[in-house]
Amino acid sequence: MEENEEGARTDMLCSSAYDVATVRALERPLLDDGAPLMRMAAAAAARHILDVVDEQDWDAESLRVCVLAGAGDNGGDGLYCGAMLAGEGLNVTAIAVGRSLHDEAYAAFRKAGGHVFTLDPNAHIPGASVGFSSGEAGARLEQAVRFVSRAHIIVDAMTGIGVNGALHGIPAAIAEAVGTHGVPERVALPDDELDIEFPFVLAIDTPSGIGVDDGTLPGAYIPADATMMFGALKPCAMLPPACYVCGRITLVDFGFDVDDVDPDVEIVDRAFAQSAIRIPRLEDAKYGRGVTGLITGSDAYPGAAVMSTCAAARSNIGMVRYLGPERAQDLVLRALPEAVVGKGHVHSWVVGCGIPDGEHDDGRDLQRTRAKALLAHYSLDGDEEARRAALAMPPVVVDAGALDLLPAHVPAHVVVTPHAGEMASLLTRLGEPTDAADVAARPLTAARRACELTGATVLLKGAMTVIVGADDAGSTRTLVCGRAPAFLATAGAGDVLAGIVGAMLAQQADEVVADPSLAAEVVAGAAYVHGLAAALASHSDQHAWNEPALFTDGDEDTHEAAEAVGHPIVAMDVVDALPDAFDMLNATAHYE
């Protein structure tokens, strides 16, 4: 394979995730050809652990290694890994959490001198203790929990991709005792830089107890310091909240043929964002570069008008038009004298930032009236003429106070940008009652459902922002962006994002209206620009998504950790950094 082709493959592997059914299909031809995938996986995991031991300067002979081994192939991976570690002189004990173990891997583990401890009295494991009483089974479980808790290294090979939903039985009991529930609290350090403490947990393929395909944490789970993923990334590597418990991810390339396979989830990286930016042309006039109209801000919250308008103006367009109350107009013109106040032709709209929602509206807010009148033109529920008119309307970004004005069914170039609480309110209004905690626990489900119910392109804000929109095959496409530092969690950041999204839609408005699948791509690119500008403003190297290391032919592709935690920012700092963000993206783009 030529170098550029290999680079393209590597980029695709590190930015695409495939669901369990697809991974099973991808590995089948290799297994049929006799490829030793299990030993390849185990060798990579063992090598990673030995590298950590060397890097941390641990005394290998004094380490206690525990392999939590399930009955399936994942347990076999763990046992082979344990056998290789035992062969290097480490003291390795496997705890069998099921009624059987992978035969060949178990034999290799025993031959290497590994110790096996069974927990199920009905197990069928040659040479292991079985048939004990229920009382002894309870005592054995307590003993196993104590051992796991005191282990220096845990190889989590209980379930991998073979379990849907919450753990049950013995694996659940172990996860309850040594793992945790809910979304973990993590200090935002650069490049996911973590101080390794005992026990060091390495997950085989995926941490036990997480939702592999949907990124949920449905029950007790064991958070990992590092995860070795085999063949391809799984959606849980990218989807919150499960992605927060995978630790540092290393991908072991099995050579899957993914050329003609659509990923289930894609990460938004620099190259993706670059493709979403319209490069200025020699013949451009200010109108040709795009005009964004904004119905944002109010007498109560005029600052939202300033932030959204200034962000749009600095996001690669030729002009902004602002409609709003006099106080907000004055502030906008003071901050941005280039803004045009009043009605006129636009290529995109931004509505809702700083506008009261229905619960807080006293019925006299002119901005809410304007937003409602505009959004009514996007409804697909009228007659054929109204439907054609809706499909021909320019793209619109619907944020904050205008979300409850969204018509029931709209074109894909209508973009909604809720946070978890606003998403809960939107879904509840659409007839599916939920709350913010449930959206935070299942953001993929919430974003996909909102897209399905309304037809809109959905951007669900968070450390890992989830974007769901139409694809070119009549279905949906899921993109995730985790570029922003945690310092972006500040008042007004959503107003800035809405302005960026609106501006980037204006640049390619005709194309987006003609091809609904482009909306998600442009919106995802805007989310990346937003995060990059925040990183530049805060001088922070921290971000929620860290590209996996690639382990190929026994050599792990590692990179030096960044060092800058950065400093706090306000939303206007992000606006001021937008020119530098676009400069950085344009400077590294490849133009044809």
Side-chain angles (χ1 to χ4, degrees), residues 184-194 243-244 248 462-465 481-490 527-547 559-569:
E185 293 186 359
R186 286 173 44 200
V187 176
L189 295 176
D191 209 25
D192 202 27
E193 188 177 312
L194 298 174
C243 61
Y244 304 138
R248 290 184 177 176
M464 293 291 281
T465 292
C481 184
R483 182 62 184 85
F487 285 120
L488 187 55
T490 186
Y528 187 95
V529 171
H530 186 231
L532 177 59
L536 295 173
S538 63
H539 295 159
S540 176
D541 294 305
Q542 182 273 327
H543 35 84
W545 168 254
N546 294 284
E547 183 175 309
H559 56 276
E560 294 184 4
E563 297 179 354
V565 175
H567 58 72
I569 54 176

Side-chain angles (χ1 to χ4, degrees), residues 316-336:
N316 204 35
I317 57 173
M319 192 172 79
V320 296
R321 293 186 184 275
Y322 178 70
L323 280 74
E326 184 174 351
R327 183 186 180 202
Q329 287 183 19
D330 291 344
L331 291 174
V332 166
L333 290 173
R334 189 178 306 166
L336 188 70

Side-chain angles (χ1 to χ4, degrees), residues 29 333 364 386 430 449 465 499 555 590:
L333 290 173
R364 294 177 295 180
L430 293 171
R449 191 62 182 140
T465 292
D555 295 318
H590 297 285

Side-chain angles (χ1 to χ4, degrees), residues 355-543:
I355 294 176
D357 59 19
E359 184 178 348
H360 300 92
D361 178 35
D362 59 7
R364 294 177 295 180
D365 190 278
L366 182 59
Q367 289 293 76
R368 185 168 172 84
T369 302
R370 286 182 175 133
K372 183 177 182 179
L374 174 65
L375 291 177
H377 292 293
Y378 290 87
S379 176
L380 294 176
D381 292 327
D383 58 25
E384 188 60 31
E385 182 178 354
R387 180 181 175 85
R388 285 196 300 269
L391 292 171
M393 288 288 289
V396 59
V397 180
V398 185
D399 187 44
L403 286 167
D404 63 351
L405 301 175
L406 185 75
H409 301 98
V410 295
H413 58 267
V414 175
V415 179
V416 296
T417 57
H419 55 56
E422 292 165 341
M423 174 63 85
S425 297
L426 176 62
L427 288 173
T428 298
R429 186 171 69 86
L430 293 171
E432 301 198 357
T434 187
D435 56 31
D438 191 49
V439 171
R442 301 189 301 163
L444 175 67
T445 300
R448 284 183 172 172
R449 191 62 182 140
C451 180
E452 291 168 0
L453 290 171
T454 65
T457 298
V458 177
L459 183 154
L460 178 55
K461 291 179 280 197
M464 293 291 281
T465 292
V466 179
I467 301 102
V468 178
D471 66 8
D472 55 8
S475 185
T476 58
R477 184 179 186 186
T478 300
L479 303 160
V480 180
C481 184
R483 182 62 184 85
F487 285 120
L488 187 55
T490 186
D495 305 327
V496 174
L497 174 61
I500 299 170
V501 175
M504 289 182 63
L505 287 169
Q507 298 164 28
Q508 304 177 66
D510 291 342
E511 294 88 341
V512 169
V513 170
D515 182 358
S517 67
L518 291 179
E521 295 184 9
V522 175
V523 169
Y528 187 95
V529 171
H530 186 231
L532 177 59
L536 295 173
S538 63
H539 295 159
S540 176
D541 294 305
Q542 182 273 327
H543 35 84

